[in-house]
Protein backbone atom coordinates (compact mmCIF):
# COMPACT_ATOMS: atom_id res chain seq x y z
CA UNK A 1 0.00 0.00 0.00
CA UNK A 2 2.87 2.41 0.80
CA UNK A 3 4.22 1.75 -2.69
CA UNK A 4 0.94 2.92 -4.22
CA UNK A 5 0.97 6.05 -2.08
CA UNK A 6 4.56 6.70 -3.09
CA UNK A 7 3.70 6.43 -6.78
CA UNK A 8 0.89 8.90 -6.26
CA UNK A 9 2.99 11.47 -4.38
CA UNK A 10 6.41 11.27 -6.02
CA UNK A 11 5.59 13.30 -9.14
CA UNK A 12 6.26 16.65 -7.50
CA UNK A 13 9.63 15.68 -5.98
CA UNK A 14 12.36 18.13 -7.01
CA UNK A 15 15.47 16.13 -7.71
CA UNK A 16 17.62 19.27 -7.80
CA UNK A 17 16.51 20.28 -4.30
CA UNK A 18 17.16 16.83 -2.90
CA UNK A 19 20.54 16.75 -4.63
CA UNK A 20 21.38 20.12 -3.11
CA UNK A 21 20.45 18.85 0.34
CA UNK A 22 22.47 15.68 -0.17
CA UNK A 23 25.65 17.46 -1.25
CA UNK A 24 25.42 20.16 1.44
CA UNK A 25 24.65 17.63 4.15
CA UNK A 26 27.51 15.39 3.00
CA UNK A 27 29.95 18.31 3.08
CA UNK A 28 28.74 19.48 6.49
CA UNK A 29 28.85 16.08 8.17
CA UNK A 30 32.24 15.31 6.64
CA UNK A 31 33.67 18.55 8.04
CA UNK A 32 32.19 17.90 11.49
CA UNK A 33 33.43 14.30 11.69
CA UNK A 34 36.82 15.15 10.17
CA UNK A 35 37.33 17.91 12.75
CA UNK A 36 36.53 15.51 15.59
CA UNK A 37 38.74 12.75 14.19
CA UNK A 38 41.66 15.08 13.47
CA UNK A 39 41.53 16.52 16.99
CA UNK A 40 41.35 13.01 18.45
CA UNK A 41 44.42 11.98 16.44
CA UNK A 42 46.57 15.07 17.00
CA UNK A 43 45.67 16.03 20.59
CA UNK A 44 47.98 13.39 22.19
CA UNK A 45 50.96 15.06 20.51
CA UNK A 46 50.24 18.23 22.51
CA UNK A 47 49.01 16.63 25.73
CA UNK A 48 51.62 13.88 26.14
CA UNK A 49 49.29 11.01 25.33
CA UNK A 50 47.69 10.81 28.74
CA UNK A 51 44.29 12.08 27.90
CA UNK A 52 42.24 13.15 24.92
CA UNK A 53 40.49 16.10 26.48
CA UNK A 54 43.00 16.78 29.19
CA UNK A 55 42.66 19.98 31.16
CA UNK A 56 45.42 22.58 31.29
CA UNK A 57 47.60 22.54 34.39
CA UNK A 58 50.51 24.72 35.45
CA UNK A 59 52.93 23.81 38.24
CA UNK A 60 53.99 26.99 40.04
CA UNK A 61 57.04 27.53 42.25
CA UNK A 62 58.67 30.53 43.84
CA UNK A 63 61.89 31.96 42.48
CA UNK A 64 64.71 31.05 44.82
CA UNK A 65 66.74 34.12 45.67
CA UNK A 66 70.29 34.10 47.05
CA UNK A 67 69.22 35.63 50.36
CA UNK A 68 66.28 33.27 50.73
CA UNK A 69 68.44 30.28 49.92
CA UNK A 70 71.03 31.22 52.56
CA UNK A 71 68.34 31.87 55.17
CA UNK A 72 66.44 28.71 54.23
CA UNK A 73 63.17 30.61 53.81
CA UNK A 74 61.11 32.26 51.14
CA UNK A 75 60.52 29.27 48.83
CA UNK A 76 57.15 28.16 50.25
CA UNK A 77 53.59 29.37 49.73
CA UNK A 78 51.56 30.72 52.61
CA UNK A 79 47.81 30.26 53.02
CA UNK A 80 47.37 33.88 51.93
CA UNK A 81 49.36 33.24 48.73
CA UNK A 82 47.24 30.19 47.88
CA UNK A 83 43.95 31.98 48.54
CA UNK A 84 45.05 34.93 46.42
CA UNK A 85 45.91 32.63 43.52
CA UNK A 86 42.59 30.81 43.85
CA UNK A 87 40.70 34.08 43.44
CA UNK A 88 42.41 35.00 40.17
CA UNK A 89 40.05 34.97 37.14
CA UNK A 90 42.29 32.60 35.17
CA UNK A 91 42.50 29.99 37.95
CA UNK A 92 39.81 27.30 37.88
CA UNK A 93 41.26 25.48 40.87
CA UNK A 94 44.51 25.33 42.83
CA UNK A 95 46.03 22.19 44.32
CA UNK A 96 48.82 21.95 46.87
CA UNK A 97 51.86 19.68 46.77
CA UNK A 98 52.03 18.23 50.27
CA UNK A 99 55.66 17.37 51.16
CA UNK A 100 56.70 14.55 53.48
CA UNK A 101 57.85 15.69 56.94
CA UNK A 102 59.60 12.40 57.72
CA UNK A 103 62.64 10.52 56.49
CA UNK A 104 62.20 8.17 53.56
CA UNK A 105 64.65 5.62 52.21
CA UNK A 106 64.01 2.97 49.61
CA UNK A 107 65.67 -0.21 48.47
CA UNK A 108 64.88 -1.41 44.98
CA UNK A 109 65.48 -4.96 43.84
CA UNK A 110 64.85 -7.05 40.75
CA UNK A 111 65.62 -10.67 41.47
CA UNK A 112 65.52 -11.70 37.82
CA UNK A 113 68.03 -9.03 36.77
CA UNK A 114 70.25 -9.06 39.85
CA UNK A 115 69.68 -5.37 40.54
CA UNK A 116 69.98 -3.90 44.04
CA UNK A 117 69.66 -0.17 44.60
CA UNK A 118 69.21 1.81 47.81
CA UNK A 119 68.75 5.55 48.24
CA UNK A 120 67.34 8.32 50.36
CA UNK A 121 64.27 9.79 48.72
CA UNK A 122 61.24 11.97 49.31
CA UNK A 123 57.49 11.81 48.77
CA UNK A 124 54.94 14.40 47.72
CA UNK A 125 51.18 14.21 47.29
CA UNK A 126 48.56 16.16 45.37
CA UNK A 127 44.76 15.85 45.43
CA UNK A 128 43.49 12.97 43.33
CA UNK A 129 41.76 15.23 40.77
CA UNK A 130 45.14 16.45 39.51
CA UNK A 131 46.55 12.98 38.82
CA UNK A 132 46.99 11.94 35.18
CA UNK A 133 46.78 8.18 35.77
CA UNK A 134 43.99 5.71 36.43
CA UNK A 135 42.90 5.94 40.07
CA UNK A 136 41.81 2.30 40.39
CA UNK A 137 44.88 1.40 42.49
CA UNK A 138 45.47 4.87 43.86
CA UNK A 139 44.50 4.31 47.49
CA UNK A 140 46.35 3.45 50.71
CA UNK A 141 45.34 0.96 53.37
CA UNK A 142 47.49 1.02 56.52
CA UNK A 143 46.69 -2.62 57.23
CA UNK A 144 48.08 -3.85 53.90
CA UNK A 145 51.39 -2.05 54.28
CA UNK A 146 51.59 -1.31 50.53
CA UNK A 147 52.22 2.24 49.33
CA UNK A 148 51.14 3.04 45.74
CA UNK A 149 53.77 5.17 44.03
CA UNK A 150 53.74 7.16 40.80
CA UNK A 151 57.01 8.38 39.33
CA UNK A 152 57.69 10.71 36.40
CA UNK A 153 58.00 8.95 33.08
CA UNK A 154 61.31 10.69 32.45
CA UNK A 155 62.77 8.88 35.48
CA UNK A 156 62.28 5.60 33.64
CA UNK A 157 63.81 7.13 30.52
CA UNK A 158 66.83 8.27 32.52
CA UNK A 159 67.33 4.75 33.82
CA UNK A 160 66.88 3.06 30.45
CA UNK A 161 68.96 5.45 28.34
CA UNK A 162 71.45 6.62 30.97
CA UNK A 163 72.12 4.42 33.97
CA UNK A 164 71.19 1.03 32.46
CA UNK A 165 73.04 1.69 29.22
CA UNK A 166 76.25 2.78 30.96
CA UNK A 167 76.21 -0.16 33.41
CA UNK A 168 75.15 -2.82 30.93
CA UNK A 169 71.91 -3.47 32.81
CA UNK A 170 68.66 -4.57 31.16
CA UNK A 171 66.24 -1.88 30.11
CA UNK A 172 62.78 -1.83 31.64
CA UNK A 173 59.48 -1.25 29.90
CA UNK A 174 56.44 0.09 31.66
CA UNK A 175 54.88 -3.35 31.32
CA UNK A 176 57.77 -4.94 33.25
CA UNK A 177 58.03 -2.33 35.96
CA UNK A 178 55.77 -4.40 38.23
CA UNK A 179 58.79 -6.70 38.68
CA UNK A 180 60.47 -3.93 40.65
CA UNK A 181 60.06 -4.39 44.42
CA UNK A 182 60.63 -1.46 46.73
CA UNK A 183 61.26 -1.72 50.44
CA UNK A 184 60.27 1.61 51.91
CA UNK A 185 61.62 2.63 55.32
CA UNK A 186 59.93 5.53 57.08
CA UNK A 187 61.28 7.13 60.23
CA UNK A 188 60.37 10.02 62.49
CA UNK A 189 58.91 10.77 65.92
CA UNK A 190 60.97 7.94 67.37
CA UNK A 191 59.42 5.40 64.96
CA UNK A 192 61.06 3.36 62.23
CA UNK A 193 58.81 1.18 60.08
CA UNK A 194 59.00 -0.68 56.78
CA UNK A 195 56.44 -0.81 53.99
CA UNK A 196 56.26 -2.22 50.50
CA UNK A 197 56.24 0.22 47.62
CA UNK A 198 54.44 -0.55 44.36
CA UNK A 199 54.93 1.58 41.25
CA UNK A 200 51.47 1.69 39.66
CA UNK A 201 51.97 4.29 36.96
CA UNK A 202 53.99 7.07 35.36
CA UNK A 203 53.16 10.74 35.14
CA UNK A 204 53.94 13.13 32.31
CA UNK A 205 52.48 16.09 34.16
CA UNK A 206 54.06 15.98 37.62
CA UNK A 207 57.82 15.79 38.00
CA UNK A 208 58.01 14.28 41.49
CA UNK A 209 57.57 11.01 43.37
CA UNK A 210 53.90 10.85 44.26
CA UNK A 211 51.97 8.94 46.90
CA UNK A 212 48.24 9.13 47.68
CA UNK A 213 47.07 12.16 49.63
CA UNK A 214 45.48 9.84 52.22
CA UNK A 215 48.83 8.18 52.88
CA UNK A 216 50.66 11.48 53.13
CA UNK A 217 48.19 12.87 55.66
CA UNK A 218 48.38 9.66 57.69
CA UNK A 219 52.20 9.49 57.59
CA UNK A 220 52.78 13.15 58.45
CA UNK A 221 50.45 12.85 61.44
CA UNK A 222 52.21 9.66 62.56
CA UNK A 223 55.88 10.53 62.03
CA UNK A 224 55.78 14.32 62.44
CA UNK A 225 52.88 15.17 64.75
CA UNK A 226 52.33 18.84 65.46
CA UNK A 227 54.15 19.95 62.30
CA UNK A 228 52.27 21.59 59.45
CA UNK A 229 53.63 21.05 55.94
CA UNK A 230 54.30 24.21 53.95
CA UNK A 231 54.03 23.60 50.21
CA UNK A 232 56.76 24.83 47.91
CA UNK A 233 54.80 23.98 44.76
CA UNK A 234 51.24 24.52 43.57
CA UNK A 235 49.34 23.03 40.65
CA UNK A 236 46.92 25.42 38.96
CA UNK A 237 44.12 24.43 36.58
CA UNK A 238 43.48 27.11 33.96
CA UNK A 239 41.03 27.38 31.09
CA UNK A 240 43.22 29.38 28.75
CA UNK A 241 46.99 29.04 29.24
CA UNK A 242 47.47 31.70 26.56
CA UNK A 243 45.86 34.30 28.84
CA UNK A 244 48.46 37.09 29.29
CA UNK A 245 47.13 37.65 32.80
CA UNK A 246 48.83 34.41 33.89
CA UNK A 247 52.32 35.53 32.85
CA UNK A 248 51.71 39.00 34.26
CA UNK A 249 50.53 37.69 37.63
CA UNK A 250 53.39 35.19 37.91
CA UNK A 251 55.92 37.89 37.08
CA UNK A 252 54.50 40.27 39.69
CA UNK A 253 54.49 37.59 42.38
CA UNK A 254 57.90 36.17 41.51
CA UNK A 255 56.49 32.77 40.58
CA UNK A 256 57.89 30.39 38.00
CA UNK A 257 56.40 27.49 36.02
CA UNK A 258 58.00 24.09 35.67
CA UNK A 259 59.00 22.89 32.24
CA UNK A 260 57.17 24.28 29.20
CA UNK A 261 53.68 23.98 30.65
CA UNK A 262 52.59 27.39 29.36
CA UNK A 263 53.91 26.75 25.83
CA UNK A 264 52.32 23.31 25.65
CA UNK A 265 49.08 24.62 27.11
CA UNK A 266 48.98 27.44 24.59
CA UNK A 267 49.49 25.01 21.71
CA UNK A 268 46.72 22.77 23.07
CA UNK A 269 44.39 25.73 23.54
CA UNK A 270 45.08 26.94 19.99
CA UNK A 271 44.38 23.45 18.65
CA UNK A 272 41.06 23.39 20.50
CA UNK A 273 40.09 26.81 19.12
CA UNK A 274 40.89 25.82 15.54
CA UNK A 275 39.05 22.52 15.89
CA UNK A 276 36.04 24.24 17.42
CA UNK A 277 35.90 26.70 14.51
CA UNK A 278 36.11 23.86 11.96
CA UNK A 279 33.40 21.85 13.73
CA UNK A 280 31.27 25.00 14.04
CA UNK A 281 31.51 25.62 10.30
CA UNK A 282 30.54 22.01 9.64
CA UNK A 283 27.54 22.27 11.95
CA UNK A 284 26.39 25.44 10.21
CA UNK A 285 26.58 23.67 6.85
CA UNK A 286 24.65 20.72 8.34
CA UNK A 287 21.95 23.08 9.61
CA UNK A 288 21.69 24.76 6.21
CA UNK A 289 21.43 21.35 4.53
CA UNK A 290 18.79 20.32 7.06
CA UNK A 291 16.86 23.50 6.24
CA UNK A 292 17.06 22.70 2.51
CA UNK A 293 15.67 19.21 3.13
CA UNK A 294 12.83 20.48 5.31
CA UNK A 295 12.00 23.17 2.76
CA UNK A 296 11.94 20.58 -0.02
CA UNK A 297 9.66 18.27 1.94
CA UNK A 298 7.33 21.11 2.99
CA UNK A 299 7.05 22.28 -0.62
CA UNK A 300 6.32 18.73 -1.66
CA UNK A 301 3.64 18.44 1.00
CA UNK A 302 2.14 21.72 -0.14
CA UNK A 303 2.01 20.61 -3.78
CA UNK A 304 0.37 17.32 -2.77
CA UNK A 305 -1.94 18.93 -0.21
CA UNK A 306 -5.19 17.93 -1.95
CA UNK A 307 -4.02 14.38 -2.60
CA UNK A 308 -2.88 13.99 0.99
CA UNK A 309 -6.16 15.37 2.34
CA UNK A 310 -8.13 12.98 0.16
CA UNK A 311 -6.04 10.03 1.34
CA UNK A 312 -6.69 11.02 4.95
CA UNK A 313 -10.42 11.41 4.29
CA UNK A 314 -10.79 7.95 2.73
CA UNK A 315 -9.24 6.30 5.81
CA UNK A 316 -5.47 6.37 5.54
CA UNK A 317 -3.70 7.23 8.80
CA UNK A 318 -1.25 10.15 9.05
CA UNK A 319 1.49 7.57 9.62
CA UNK A 320 0.69 5.75 6.36
CA UNK A 321 0.50 8.98 4.40
CA UNK A 322 3.76 10.27 5.85
CA UNK A 323 5.68 6.98 5.55
CA UNK A 324 7.14 7.72 2.08
CA UNK A 325 8.53 11.00 3.38
CA UNK A 326 9.90 9.33 6.53
CA UNK A 327 11.71 6.74 4.43
CA UNK A 328 13.00 9.40 2.04
CA UNK A 329 14.46 11.42 4.89
CA UNK A 330 15.93 8.38 6.68
CA UNK A 331 17.46 7.02 3.47
CA UNK A 332 19.10 10.31 2.59
CA UNK A 333 20.48 10.92 6.11
CA UNK A 334 21.88 7.40 6.54
CA UNK A 335 23.44 7.53 3.07
CA UNK A 336 25.08 10.83 3.98
CA UNK A 337 26.42 9.25 7.21
CA UNK A 338 27.90 6.25 5.37
CA UNK A 339 29.56 8.38 2.68
CA UNK A 340 30.79 10.97 5.21
CA UNK A 341 32.47 8.30 7.35
CA UNK A 342 34.04 6.86 4.22
CA UNK A 343 35.40 10.29 3.27
CA UNK A 344 36.77 10.82 6.78
CA UNK A 345 38.50 7.43 6.71
CA UNK A 346 40.15 8.21 3.37
CA UNK A 347 41.27 11.67 4.48
CA UNK A 348 42.52 10.30 7.81
CA UNK A 349 44.71 7.78 6.02
CA UNK A 350 46.19 10.61 3.94
CA UNK A 351 47.10 12.96 6.78
CA UNK A 352 48.28 10.13 9.06
CA UNK A 353 50.79 9.10 6.38
CA UNK A 354 51.94 12.72 6.19
CA UNK A 355 52.26 13.15 9.98
CA UNK A 356 54.14 9.86 10.45
CA UNK A 357 56.97 11.30 8.36
CA UNK A 358 57.40 14.27 10.71
CA UNK A 359 56.51 12.75 14.09
CA UNK A 360 58.34 9.46 14.82
CA UNK A 361 56.09 6.85 16.36
CA UNK A 362 52.94 8.81 15.58
CA UNK A 363 49.82 6.70 15.16
CA UNK A 364 46.18 7.60 14.75
CA UNK A 365 43.28 6.67 16.97
CA UNK A 366 40.27 4.49 16.30
CA UNK A 367 37.48 6.17 14.29
CA UNK A 368 34.77 4.50 16.37
CA UNK A 369 33.95 7.67 18.31
CA UNK A 370 33.69 9.60 15.07
CA UNK A 371 31.40 6.94 13.56
CA UNK A 372 29.19 6.95 16.63
CA UNK A 373 28.84 10.75 16.67
CA UNK A 374 27.96 10.75 12.97
CA UNK A 375 25.34 8.04 13.50
CA UNK A 376 23.80 9.91 16.43
CA UNK A 377 23.67 13.09 14.36
CA UNK A 378 22.00 11.29 11.44
CA UNK A 379 19.43 9.63 13.71
CA UNK A 380 18.64 12.91 15.45
CA UNK A 381 18.08 14.73 12.15
CA UNK A 382 15.92 11.87 10.87
CA UNK A 383 13.73 11.83 13.99
CA UNK A 384 13.32 15.60 13.88
CA UNK A 385 12.37 15.39 10.21
CA UNK A 386 9.76 12.72 11.00
CA UNK A 387 8.31 14.85 13.78
CA UNK A 388 8.10 17.92 11.50
CA UNK A 389 6.50 15.94 8.67
CA UNK A 390 3.91 14.40 10.97
CA UNK A 391 3.10 17.83 12.35
CA UNK A 392 2.58 19.24 8.84
CA UNK A 393 0.36 16.32 7.81
CA UNK A 394 -1.68 16.77 10.99
CA UNK A 395 -2.51 20.33 9.87
CA UNK A 396 -4.26 18.93 6.80
CA UNK A 397 -7.02 17.29 8.85
Amino acid sequence: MNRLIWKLLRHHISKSQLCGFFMASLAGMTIVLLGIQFYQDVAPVFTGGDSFLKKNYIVATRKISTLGSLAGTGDTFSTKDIDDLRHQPFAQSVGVFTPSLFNVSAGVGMEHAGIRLSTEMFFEAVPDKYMDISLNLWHFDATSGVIPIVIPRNYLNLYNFGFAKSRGLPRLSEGLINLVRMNIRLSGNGLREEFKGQIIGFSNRLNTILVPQTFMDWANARYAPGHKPRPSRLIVEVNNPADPAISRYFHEKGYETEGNALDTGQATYFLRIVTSVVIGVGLIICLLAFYILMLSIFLLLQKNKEKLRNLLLIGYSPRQVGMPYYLLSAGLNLTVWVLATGCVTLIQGTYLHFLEQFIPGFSGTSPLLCLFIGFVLAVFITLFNAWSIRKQIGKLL
Side-chain angles (χ1 to χ4, degrees), residues 39-54 132-134 153 174 202-205 264 268 361-363 365:
Y39 182 77
Q40 188 177 359
D41 288 334
V42 177
V45 176
F46 294 88
T47 60
D50 293 317
S51 170
F52 169 44
L53 291 176
K54 185 171 78 171
D132 55 346
I133 63 163
S134 173
R153 184 167 276 108
E174 294 183 17
F202 299 87
S203 175
N204 286 322
R205 178 187 304 155
T264 302
T268 306
F362 179 83
S363 61
T365 58

Side-chain angles (χ1 to χ4, degrees), residues 12-25:
H12 295 290
I13 293 179
S14 173
K15 295 181 180 180
S16 61
Q17 289 177 344
L18 292 181
C19 182
F21 154 76
F22 183 82
M23 297 304 297
S25 185

Side-chain angles (χ1 to χ4, degrees), residues 320-342:
Q320 289 177 308
V321 173
M323 184 58 67
Y325 302 105
Y326 302 154
L327 296 176
L328 176 64
S329 173
L332 287 172
N333 287 321
L334 292 178
T335 302
V336 165
W337 170 64
V338 171
L339 293 179
T341 52

Side-chain angles (χ1 to χ4, degrees), residues 288-342:
L288 293 175
F290 168 74
Y291 177 76
I292 293 174
L293 176 63
M294 293 304 302
L295 182 62
S296 300
I297 293 178
F298 287 167
L299 290 175
L300 186 58
L301 290 172
Q302 190 65 28
K303 291 178 181 179
N304 291 323
K305 182 170 64 174
E306 293 301 323
K307 295 178 182 179
L308 294 172
R309 182 179 287 114
N310 291 333
L311 290 172
L312 293 172
L313 291 175
I314 64 176
Y316 285 96
S317 67
R319 180 179 176 276
Q320 289 177 308
V321 173
M323 184 58 67
Y325 302 105
Y326 302 154
L327 296 176
L328 176 64
S329 173
L332 287 172
N333 287 321
L334 292 178
T335 302
V336 165
W337 170 64
V338 171
L339 293 179
T341 52

Side-chain angles (χ1 to χ4, degrees), residues 55-58 60 81-95 129-130 234-247 249-250 255 262:
K55 299 177 181 178
N56 294 304
Y57 296 99
I58 298 172
D81 295 331
I82 298 172
D83 290 338
D84 183 66
L85 183 55
R86 281 199 177 104
H87 287 88
Q88 296 304 310
F90 57 79
Q92 298 301 303
S93 65
V94 177
K129 64 176 290 187
Y130 299 101
L234 303 176
I235 180 168
V236 187
E237 178 189 343
V238 296
N239 261 344
N240 178 13
D243 188 348
I246 301 176
S247 299
Y249 178 83
F250 277 37
Y255 298 165
L262 283 178

